[in-house]
Amino acid sequence: MTETIIGIDLGTTNSEVAIYQYGRAVVLEDNHSCIIPSYVGLDDKGKIIVGEEAKNQYQVYPERTIKSIKRKMGLDEKIVMGTEQYLPQELSAIILRKLKSIAENHLNCQVSKAVITVPAYFPDAQRQATREAGEIAGLEVVKVINEPTAAALSYKTENQSDRRVLIYDLGGGTFDVSVVQIEGGVVEVVASHGNNHLGGDDFDHQITAAIIEHLKTEHDYSGTLSNQALARIEQAAENAKKALSDNPFALIAEEYLCEIQGVPVNLNMELAREDYEEMIRPYIEETLEAVHTALKSADLAASHIDEVLLVGGSTRIPLVARRLEEKFGFSPRCDMNPDLCVATGAAMQAAMIKGEDVHATLVDITPYTFGTRAYYEKEDGPYPYYFVPIIKKNTPVPVRKSDVFYTMYDDQQEVEIGIYQGENEDVRENVKIGEFMIRGLSKAAANNEIITTFELDKNGILHVTSKEKKTGLQKKITIDNAMSQFAEEELSAARDRISNLFAGDVDEFGAEDGRQMSAAVESVKAMAIVEKAESLFESAAPDDCEDMIALIEAIREADIAGDKAALSTAVDELSEIIFFLES
Ligand code: AMP
């Protein structure tokens, strides 16, 4: 077997390493996380530390911890860490060595070649410095590719047509926007623009400032906080920011944060998504101005763009997708993990260099939107059938999202929660998949807050919980098979539609329709088994993976050819392997 070439996203805030194996790109984990903070430091014994460990000591020992070294790449500048001076390439090489060793541990063999990504705007000196960092780390850099190119590769779909794509990349410390042209599978960056000092860190600072303000007013505090207390506040701010991407409120609680006049102070503060979005709105508007500039320099208007792809952890903030949708008139694609898609694309490029046939990346996503019903004040009066999406179509699973709803009148004691699948703004056009009542709400004025949470796992099991925020009173239900249920519903609706079309001709057409529909059911079932098998690739032995890949291919071929017997045999064999792997 030829040597694996690893794909590396060497980021300002975080880095990742990925490989292409068994027909899919996988980002490798270290200590249960794929995301390696781009921090390098010396511990108290002078030993080099990298990643999470170095990040954790940054606030307390900034003199022996380095972050954001990527900003210095290509500069002839020495950086002091502890008692020594280092070139930016050397510090980057320390991160690369860590990524190399993660891959070696995973593959159980030495790794010596890599594809590394860099921002599209990196000039030659910075690209050269990246190559040198690779060499210092013992890696031959077989190719340096642009981050937007890697992202576009990882968002690749089967039957990829030629198109113009805008890549919006909002990370921890930088924002980049690129317009790329995809023609005959070749990705070309047409224009790019950005801001090297705009990203998630700015949002953390906004929340940190709000927390300090809260401490000052609540506890009449005017002194300066210790480094330790500040570090805890900054971490709490980042956690709250992440929580607000999925929840309407975040509770920021830190016990014994500091002492004020000898009295221990506990931090307890609630932040609403709405207030947080107002804090960061100016930054998001700045990114949209950069989008405008990039389009202008490519001589294009928003209407010329076919797709918007989201890259970078900060694009999980719902305001980002909302504003982009307002600008472009369609939703940006979010079906890849925005933290990992650059690394995934680098691994795909690495596999292509080796001459492998690279398919679209397979990720588990929900094929339907799930949401609930709410009243909505339209211009012509109240509209009781408004569909509020909570988990949107094409979101990677597992996923958990919450939203807040309000009671309509004073002393409202109960609320009916309807759960729907579908894409229509009117719930009556969607499929109802469940409902429940939450009863015994406290006597309160209208606008009592009810938080509804949807949690969908990889097996299509949907848990829905509604909670009265004030009292914690809650009710929940579980819907098994939420993802396939719609397929069945859809099929039965299609069956009805077709029988209606041929009403009166049952003898002539009924039997044939029945056969076609039952073939469709078989096909849906087969695809569910294929998906199940694909989810086991990572944990299965190489021999089993090979058998599964062959059977998946046989299933696809039989499905296309409409060969029911071959389909059924291959499905049975694949089910047997799955049964064996799971037992
Ligand atoms: P990157 O540079 O792409 O690795 O992105 C890192 C940034 O994404 C950091 O500022 C993180 O705090 C931020 N981030 C990660 N997850 C989330 C999330 N769920 N919501 C908002 N920001 C996030």
Side-chain angles (χ1 to χ4, degrees):
M1 209 171 84
T2 51
E3 186 188 328
T4 303
I5 305 175
I6 57 177
I8 290 178
D9 171 6
L10 185 60
T12 310
T13 319
N14 295 308
S15 298
E16 293 85 26
V17 55
I19 55 169
Y20 193 82
Q21 202 178 29
Y22 310 125
R24 58 159 60 191
V26 210
V27 185
L28 305 177
E29 284 190 6
D30 179 51
N31 253 335
H32 307 294
S33 173
C34 305
I35 296 175
I36 314 297
S38 303
Y39 284 68
V40 177
L42 297 170
D43 70 5
D44 45 13
K45 296 192 184 70
K47 198 180 115 223
I48 288 274
I49 49 175
V50 190
E52 201 60 49
E53 210 183 338
K55 183 180 178 185
N56 289 341
Q57 74 160 28
Y58 177 75
Q59 281 297 338
V60 195
Y61 303 112
E63 68 287 354
R64 51 176 156 96
T65 320
I66 306 293
K67 69 167 189 170
S68 304
I69 190 61
K70 185 171 174 179
R71 292 194 202 285
K72 303 248 154 109
M73 288 294 270
L75 298 181
D76 196 14
E77 190 181 308
K78 295 253 179 163
I79 292 121
V80 180
M81 181 172 70
T83 53
E84 299 279 324
Q85 291 193 341
Y86 299 86
L87 281 168
Q89 293 91 308
E90 292 174 302
L91 293 168
S92 284
I94 297 172
I95 300 171
L96 289 173
R97 269 190 67 145
K98 166 86 182 171
L99 300 171
K100 176 177 183 279
S101 80
I102 293 173
E104 287 173 341
N105 285 341
H106 179 91
L107 291 165
N108 234 340
C109 65
Q110 269 221 324
V111 166
S112 66
K113 292 181 179 162
V115 167
I116 303 183
T117 60
V118 295
Y121 61 80
F122 254 25
D124 274 355
Q126 284 163 300
R127 286 169 196 258
Q128 186 51 30
T130 306
R131 283 182 185 281
E132 282 165 18
E135 272 164 38
I136 301 169
L139 285 168
E140 178 196 338
V141 183
V142 290
K143 196 161 184 178
V144 168
I145 65 165
N146 290 324
E147 286 160 10
T149 306
L153 271 177
S154 103
Y155 269 99
K156 174 179 156 110
T157 44
E158 294 300 353
N159 307 322
Q160 179 145 312
S161 54
D162 293 351
R163 62 206 195 280
R164 251 188 232 119
V165 175
L166 184 121
I167 295 172
Y168 178 102
D169 180 352
L170 187 59
T174 57
F175 169 67
D176 296 306
V177 53
S178 308
V179 179
V180 306
Q181 176 83 42
I182 303 177
E183 243 171 58
V186 176
V187 185
E188 189 203 345
V189 181
V190 185
S192 75
H193 193 68
N195 183 338
N196 238 339
H197 291 274
L198 194 166
D201 295 350
D202 296 303
F203 314 153
D204 298 346
H205 295 157
Q206 291 292 318
I207 301 180
T208 301
I211 296 175
I212 293 173
E213 197 51 45
H214 171 88
L215 280 175
K216 282 186 176 162
T217 43
E218 284 285 298
H219 301 279
D220 202 14
Y221 180 69
S222 56
T224 43
L225 289 157
S226 67
N227 272 353
Q228 272 88 345
L230 255 179
R232 284 178 64 192
I233 293 177
E234 285 178 4
Q235 190 56 55
E238 186 180 2
N239 294 344
K241 171 186 78 172
K242 290 182 179 170
L244 288 170
S245 289
D246 299 327
N247 301 285
F249 300 96
L251 189 64
I252 306 172
E254 291 285 319
E255 280 189 11
Y256 299 111
L257 181 67
C258 55
E259 282 192 359
I260 296 176
Q261 281 146 11
V263 182
V265 169
N266 297 329
L267 169 66
N268 236 314
M269 168 182 163
E270 188 185 79
L271 183 60
R273 185 193 280 164
E274 239 180 306
D275 297 330
Y276 160 67
E277 285 187 348
E278 282 321 301
M279 293 177 193
I280 64 165
R281 193 176 285 277
Y283 296 103
I284 306 298
E285 293 311 314
E286 211 180 312
T287 65
L288 287 167
E289 278 161 30
V291 166
H292 184 73
T293 310
L295 286 171
K296 220 170 137 199
S297 57
D299 240 343
L300 296 170
S303 58
H304 293 123
I305 297 294
D306 301 308
E307 257 181 357
V308 176
L309 311 184
L310 297 182
V311 180
S314 302
T315 58
R316 290 211 172 85
I317 298 167
L319 179 64
V320 168
R322 254 189 359 251
R323 288 295 290 121
L324 286 168
E325 187 166 347
E326 280 162 15
K327 181 161 180 79
F328 287 91
F330 55 83
S331 314
R333 274 182 69 183
C334 55
D335 45 320
M336 296 298 298
N337 182 326
D339 296 305
L340 309 182
C341 59
V342 171
T344 314
M348 290 167 87
Q349 175 72 72
M352 283 153 75
I353 290 171
K354 276 181 63 187
E356 286 182 43
D357 184 14
V358 172
H359 305 282
T361 318
L362 299 167
V363 282
D364 291 313
I365 50 169
T366 155
Y368 313 116
T369 298
F370 295 93
T372 187
R373 178 172 73 95
Y375 273 80
Y376 178 59
E377 269 314 316
K378 274 194 164 179
E379 279 154 16
D380 50 352
Y383 177 62
Y385 304 110
Y386 191 58
F387 178 55
V388 183
I390 297 200
I391 295 178
K392 288 204 173 156
K393 180 178 166 169
N394 291 337
T395 307
V397 284
V399 55
R400 184 177 184 280
K401 297 261 178 207
S402 300
D403 215 335
V404 62
F405 298 87
Y406 302 92
T407 53
M408 292 177 57
Y409 48 88
D410 293 350
D411 295 339
Q412 186 173 335
Q413 301 253 309
E414 58 184 37
V415 179
E416 184 194 310
I417 315 289
I419 303 149
Y420 297 82
Q421 264 181 357
E423 314 304 323
N424 203 294
E425 208 182 83
D426 184 330
V427 290
R428 291 169 300 180
E429 295 296 318
N430 294 332
V431 180
K432 190 172 197 175
I433 56 166
E435 68 181 324
F436 63 95
M437 299 289 291
I438 169 162
R439 293 199 166 93
L441 300 175
S442 55
K443 280 188 168 278
N447 287 332
N448 183 12
E449 291 156 323
I450 310 289
I451 296 175
T452 294
T453 304
F454 279 45
E455 198 171 351
L456 182 65
D457 74 12
K458 282 194 172 186
N459 300 318
I461 297 171
L462 177 68
H463 301 279
V464 180
T465 312
S466 280
K467 184 163 96 174
E468 182 180 33
K469 178 161 175 269
K470 206 161 66 170
T471 61
L473 171 80
Q474 68 173 39
K475 184 92 200 278
K476 58 171 113 180
I477 62 163
T478 296
I479 299 165
D480 292 328
N481 254 336
M483 290 206 268
S484 62
Q485 200 162 331
F486 193 17
E488 285 294 335
E489 293 266 5
E490 217 175 20
L491 287 175
S492 86
R495 224 174 271 141
D496 291 343
R497 266 198 310 275
I498 288 174
S499 358
N500 287 341
L501 272 180
F502 296 112
D505 285 335
V506 179
D507 281 351
E508 200 177 335
F509 294 104
E512 182 56 21
D513 289 338
R515 274 196 296 278
Q516 274 176 11
M517 281 306 133
S518 91
V521 173
E522 289 306 320
S523 165
V524 169
K525 278 190 190 153
M527 289 315 141
I529 287 169
V530 165
E531 239 176 66
K532 178 89 215 165
E534 284 169 345
S535 74
L536 296 172
F537 275 169
E538 249 171 77
S539 53
D543 280 356
D544 291 327
C545 284
E546 260 170 44
D547 291 346
M548 288 197 286
I549 289 169
L551 286 167
I552 289 171
E553 220 157 82
I555 288 175
R556 293 210 163 111
E557 276 168 16
D559 190 33
I560 291 167
D563 184 343
K564 255 181 108 179
L567 184 70
S568 152
T569 314
V571 164
D572 285 351
E573 282 179 34
L574 188 60
S575 307
E576 214 164 282
I577 300 183
I578 294 174
F579 176 75
F580 165 72
L581 289 176
E582 285 190 327
S583 50

